[in-house]
Amino acid sequence: MRLILDIAVTHIVGRGRQTLVAILGVAVGVGFSVAMAALMQGGQDDLIAKLVDTMPHVQITDDRRTPPVQPAELAFDAAAIAGLRPREDRRGIINPTAAFAWLKEWVPGRVAASLTTQGVVRYLGRDVGATVVGIEPKAERGVSSLVEDFVDGSFEALDVGGNNVVIGDRMAGRLGAGVGDTVTLVSSSGLSRGFKIVGLYHTGITARDEHEAYILLKSAQILDARINVVNEIRIRLDDPAAAPAVARRAEARLGYKSMSWQEANEQILEALVVRNVIMYTVVAAIMLVAGFGIFNIISTITHEKARDIAIMKSLGFSRGDMQRLFVLEGLAIGLAGSLLGWLLGFALVYALASVHFELNAGGRELTRLPVAWEPLHYAIAAGFALASAAVAGYLPARKAARQPPVDIIRGAT
Amino acid sequence: MSPPPALIETEGLTRILPEVVPVTLVEDVTLAIGEREFVAITGPSGSGKSSLLYLLGLLDRPTRGRLRLAGIDTDPMDEAARAARRLAMLGFVFQFHFLLPEFSARENVEIPMRKLGRLSRPAIRDRAGELLESLGLAGHVDKRPDQLSGGQRQRVAVARALANDPPLLLADEPTGSLDSQSSEQVFAILADLVHGRGKTVVAVTHDLELAARMGRRIHLVDGRVVSDERISAAGPPG
Ligand SMILES: Nc1ncnc2c1ncn2[C@@H]1O[C@H](COP(=O)(O)OP(=O)(O)O)[C@@H](O)[C@H]1O
Ligand SMILES: [Mg+2]
């Protein structure tokens, strides 16, 4: 085996330029596969991270999934009532304190209750429709990603004296109001009250930046004339993947619609599955093309060695020796190419990751190309390259080694 | 003097290529070659000389007939056994040198020895050097084939054929592509192998003058042996 290895090394080193081309061929294939996979995976990870980050992992609202059973259905077997919609219930979540306490007991994460209503924010005669969310600042910190998006002030500022509100920067722009100004909030029940702006945030999502206002839960309950009412409980989990299970358990016990982020984004996640299929197809196609390239280069080299195979066999080498020799040569080229390809792939991914974009379309800003640093991509690309290289050495060598050496020797003389 | 024990024995050795129209390369060759013989195989071009040598060298399998090497029937041998025999018992010198192009003269000679694995690495290295030196290649051991002349290459090929000290050397027109001076040199080496080192050499040649200086001449026509004569006063005339 030592001899075979020495012969392989001499062959590879002796063919300097050819070897270099083969190694570069492998490297390019591996490098681009890695970069492509990093880009595709990165895009997906980024999208999911944004989904998971910007919304509660589980959202319990005062809705019910099925309308309440009607007395007629209880009284008559044949009665069937379709198309019923649950009546809007101004009472919100029944007994919210108990529900909240029960959730806090077992949920692996943080829980916050709120009252969400529709209203209007008014300043100097200008009106902007808004979703007014009543929150408890301390609890809200734990469930909302909004804390990271403040450009001025914070949730905590809501607690400091009087009636305070935080709004998005776009709403502030539309109203022409800034921090320190007092705006009027009008609730759907017609009550209104003045609130001082103590914070501005910018999420990048237009709907939120323009049409949301946060006030204290107590203020919201007073404004909407629903004392002690809570109509939404939001949960942020340590492990976002556990959301469906938590949602199921909460719904089974409380009876209220509990929606995991996966359920809320079902369509997006389904689209991601399609995207995944496309991604794997594209990466597989690149690898396949690279694999063919690798196969082509190495099998050409092996073909050219048919005469040497005949010579070595005539000297007394076995068929197996010859196959091992060329598989070894293929693997060596594949290995060198893979290592170089890793460097190339890493450099490409690095370059892609440092590209900056200034994008301001669709209300979302993308400042950096998301890429995934995934060792698995490197392993798969190298594995594929090594396999093609080994096969590329093996197949022609097997053919040449099976042929009786005289066939080649006769032809060569 | 009793006849030397047969190193090669053939019986009705025949090789037919199974083409659409079958081509008969060698037909019904029966002969015995003993130890320390210096045999010339002659015949017109295309008469099957090379084909016969390939059969004797276990590079090809006969369609019919028997071949015994050192008394052992080669017919039942599988590919691995034949390869092992080629490695240890046979040296082959082709008309074209057939050296491995990426390896130096020394490495080309070392490879069969390393494959056989009977000697240590330093011993192999020494022996390769000695063989090349004894063939007048002292200054050329580290050159690659493309840096050597035709005669030098052919002598490296002889050194490689002798690497594992085989009792039998088969040479296919070893001087065919050489100028007269190189060809004389190579012939002298072959003659010395027989007379000086006790080897058996079977060499194909179409040079009748050279053939006359060998111990025995087997003449082929159309794959058949038409004459097999011992040349009595075997030795270089003049
Ligand atoms: N692969 C082949 N296909 C057809 N004919 C062949 C093949 N190889 C050799 N021959 C023919 O077989 C005959 C014997 O060839 P060879 O043994 O090389 O003769 P020599 O060495 O005496 O010149 C020649 O007529 C040659 O043309
Ligand atoms: Mg010939």
Side-chain angles (χ1 to χ4, degrees), chain B residues 34-104:
Chain B
E35 279 177 12
R36 296 161 193 268
E37 278 204 72
F38 194 11
V39 181
I41 296 179
T42 58
S45 180
S47 58
K49 305 181 295 292
S50 298
S51 303
L52 176 60
L53 216 58
Y54 298 148
L55 288 172
L56 299 183
L58 301 182
L59 293 173
D60 199 7
R61 278 180 184 274
T63 312
R64 282 196 300 273
R66 293 215 160 283
L67 167 65
R68 271 190 291 276
L69 280 183
I72 301 165
D73 190 1
T74 58
D75 194 47
M77 289 181 183
D78 64 3
E79 211 32 66
R82 292 161 70 87
R85 207 138 290 255
R86 282 200 295 272
L87 186 64
M89 262 196 76
L90 293 163
F92 215 110
V93 179
F94 300 94
Q95 180 172 3
F96 184 70
H97 64 83
F98 276 151
L99 297 174
L100 296 172
E102 291 93 350
F103 296 84
S104 69

Side-chain angles (χ1 to χ4, degrees), chain A residues 114-366:
Chain A
S114 59
L115 175 65
T116 302
T117 63
Q118 296 305 312
V120 171
V121 184
R122 179 170 296 160
Y123 182 68
L124 298 180
R126 262 171 282 196
D127 284 0
V128 176
T131 300
V132 180
V133 188
I135 55 154
E136 286 163 331
K138 285 215 176 53
E140 191 67 14
R141 274 195 85 85
V143 302
S144 172
S145 61
L146 205 61
V147 287
E148 286 150 26
D149 297 324
F150 275 93
V151 289
D152 202 344
S154 70
F155 277 139
E156 272 77 3
L158 290 174
D159 269 334
V160 184
N163 283 327
N164 299 320
V165 62
V166 296
I167 59 175
D169 59 348
R170 276 172 172 270
M171 180 187 281
R174 275 189 62 176
L175 291 170
V179 171
D181 294 332
T182 299
V183 296
T184 307
L185 257 60
V186 185
S187 76
S188 52
S189 56
L191 295 177
S192 69
R193 201 173 275 258
F195 285 84
K196 195 170 98 184
I197 300 175
V198 293
L200 294 176
Y201 57 85
H202 175 83
T203 60
I205 301 165
T206 311
R208 298 190 69 182
D209 293 342
E210 197 168 325
H211 297 287
E212 264 184 8
Y214 289 82
I215 56 180
L216 289 180
L217 179 58
K218 274 198 191 67
S219 310
Q221 288 166 343
I222 293 165
L223 187 68
D224 209 32
R226 294 160 83 178
I227 301 305
N228 289 331
V229 169
V230 160
N231 63 3
E232 204 173 88
I233 296 176
R234 281 169 295 153
I235 301 174
R236 193 170 181 84
L237 298 167
D238 302 329
D239 172 20
V246 170
R248 259 195 310 278
R249 184 163 170 195
E251 182 156 341
R253 167 76 174 254
L254 303 174
Y256 292 109
K257 184 169 168 184
S258 306
M259 185 129 60
S260 65
W261 67 269
Q262 287 96 329
E263 187 187 347
N265 295 289
E266 212 174 318
Q267 274 167 322
I268 295 178
L269 292 178
E270 267 167 22
L272 279 183
V273 172
V274 175
R275 191 178 179 279
N276 255 330
V277 171
I278 295 171
M279 158 177 147
Y280 287 122
T281 311
V282 169
V283 173
I286 289 178
M287 291 226 238
L288 209 63
V289 170
F292 273 121
I294 294 165
F295 182 89
N296 190 33
I297 293 169
I298 294 176
S299 66
T300 304
I301 291 175
T302 308
H303 268 302
E304 283 173 8
K305 285 281 160 214
R307 205 195 65 168
D308 288 20
I309 291 176
I311 297 172
M312 284 187 265
K313 278 190 73 185
S314 78
L315 289 176
F317 283 85
S318 68
R319 203 185 275 181
D321 287 333
M322 293 300 98
Q323 284 166 12
R324 272 191 290 280
L325 173 62
F326 284 92
V327 168
L328 212 61
E329 289 187 26
L331 280 177
I333 290 172
L335 193 68
S338 292
L339 293 178
L340 201 66
W342 282 357
L343 281 182
L344 179 68
F346 190 85
L348 278 173
V349 174
Y350 189 85
L352 286 171
S354 51
V355 171
H356 282 262
F357 285 91
E358 221 32 81
L359 199 71
N360 219 328
R364 245 187 85 213
E365 286 151 48
L366 189 73

Side-chain angles (χ1 to χ4, degrees), chain B residues 13-46:
Chain B
L13 205 62
T14 300
R15 175 67 167 118
I16 300 168
L17 285 183
E19 309 279 309
V20 185
V21 180
V23 185
T24 303
L25 304 177
V26 174
E27 197 173 356
D28 198 23
V29 170
T30 301
L31 50 78
I33 296 173
E35 279 177 12
R36 296 161 193 268
E37 278 204 72
F38 194 11
V39 181
I41 296 179
T42 58
S45 180

